[in-house]
Amino acid sequence: MKKSYTCVICPNGCEIDVETAEQGEILSITGAGCKRGVAYARQETVCPRRTLSSSIRVINGEEPLVSVRLTNSVPRDALMRVMEAIRNAKAEAPVQSGSCLIVNVLGLGSDVIATKSVARKR
């Protein structure tokens, strides 16, 4: 089976083709302009991973939400569960940019951190 990917690792955007056996074993990777492209295509074929940005509710904050992001990518098939965990989370103001709001979300090896500061409501 043949799958094609556009590499997003660098601005070159190489068109990479991955040939796999029926059992999922990678037979060949062609079209990558560098080693990082090969690694990207291999990961996308074997276990695609993604990162995401969202927001968490802030209690007693000058703003109702704080923007957040993951510190590491997580398996693509876990994204909806991660979003559910983020949706259910709350942070007490004040929130500092860079502070960890959810440690090791769902045991996936990624923290949810604030990307801005929200002061306490006066």
Side-chain angles (χ1 to χ4, degrees), residues 58-71:
V58 178
I59 300 168
N60 297 319
E62 287 187 346
E63 297 181 41
L65 300 170
V66 62
S67 57
V68 297
R69 70 171 178 85
L70 297 178
T71 56

Side-chain angles (χ1 to χ4, degrees), residues 70-102:
L70 297 178
T71 56
N72 294 306
S73 60
V74 297
R76 184 178 64 194
D77 61 0
L79 281 179
M80 295 309 288
R81 292 184 292 127
V82 171
M83 281 302 301
E84 185 67 25
I86 290 172
R87 188 174 314 134
N88 292 328
K90 296 175 189 148
E92 180 73 35
V95 176
Q96 297 299 313
S97 179
S99 61
C100 182
L101 302 180
I102 304 175

